[in-house]
Amino acid sequence: RALGSLINPATVDPATEPAGQPLSLTLGVQNRYAEGLRLGAVGLVEPSTDSTHGLALGGAFGINDWQLTGSYGRANLMGEAADVFAAGVGYGPMSARLVYGHVPRASGPSGDVLMFSTDLAAMSWLTLEGDVAVSDSLASEPLTVGRVGLRLNF
């Protein structure tokens, strides 16, 4: 994983920056993109192969407790190469993300999946996670899957 910061609060002129208004903008490149979006946690991802294994490009913009994120990458959804787009918003210990995956097919209709994820960090060591994904064209029949999880950070 590689990250770079375009705007760093330490480099902003304190005279022009209002007190208590930290501002940051980061861009990153990440391998194993689908795992980071938890697509595998709801059973939509098969292990990556050479043809679908690649990098993702994403960015985040944060000011105070608010954060906006976005990313694009390739993933293997239900055994097929897919373009995956994600956008998220967070405030303090809460975050939500919307993920859209598109599987272009040479013959037949293309496949699509839409997933909504939320996180709530109840304490520094405990996070409640929720995911729900829907698709009417990715599998042979309509698909709706969901998951609720607890993540312990020790």
Side-chain angles (χ1 to χ4, degrees), residues 51-75:
S51 62
T52 61
H53 192 69
L55 296 177
L57 178 62
F61 176 76
I63 185 165
N64 287 338
D65 288 340
W66 287 94
Q67 184 174 17
L68 296 173
T69 62
S71 60
Y72 164 77
R74 301 279 294 166

Side-chain angles (χ1 to χ4, degrees), residues 4-12 17 21-27 59-69:
S5 183
L6 297 179
I7 300 174
N8 187 329
T11 63
V12 177
E17 183 72 17
Q21 298 283 326
L23 174 70
S24 65
L25 177 64
T26 59
L27 291 176
F61 176 76
I63 185 165
N64 287 338
D65 288 340
W66 287 94
Q67 184 174 17
L68 296 173
T69 62

Side-chain angles (χ1 to χ4, degrees), residues 38 61-69 87-98 116-124 126-130 151:
R38 296 199 306 252
F61 176 76
I63 185 165
N64 287 338
D65 288 340
W66 287 94
Q67 184 174 17
L68 296 173
T69 62
V89 62
Y91 179 74
M94 299 175 290
S95 66
R97 180 176 51 246
L98 189 62
F116 180 69
S117 298
T118 59
D119 294 321
L120 173 61
M123 298 183 189
S124 62
L126 176 66
T127 303
L128 176 63
E129 303 174 338
R151 185 176 64 225

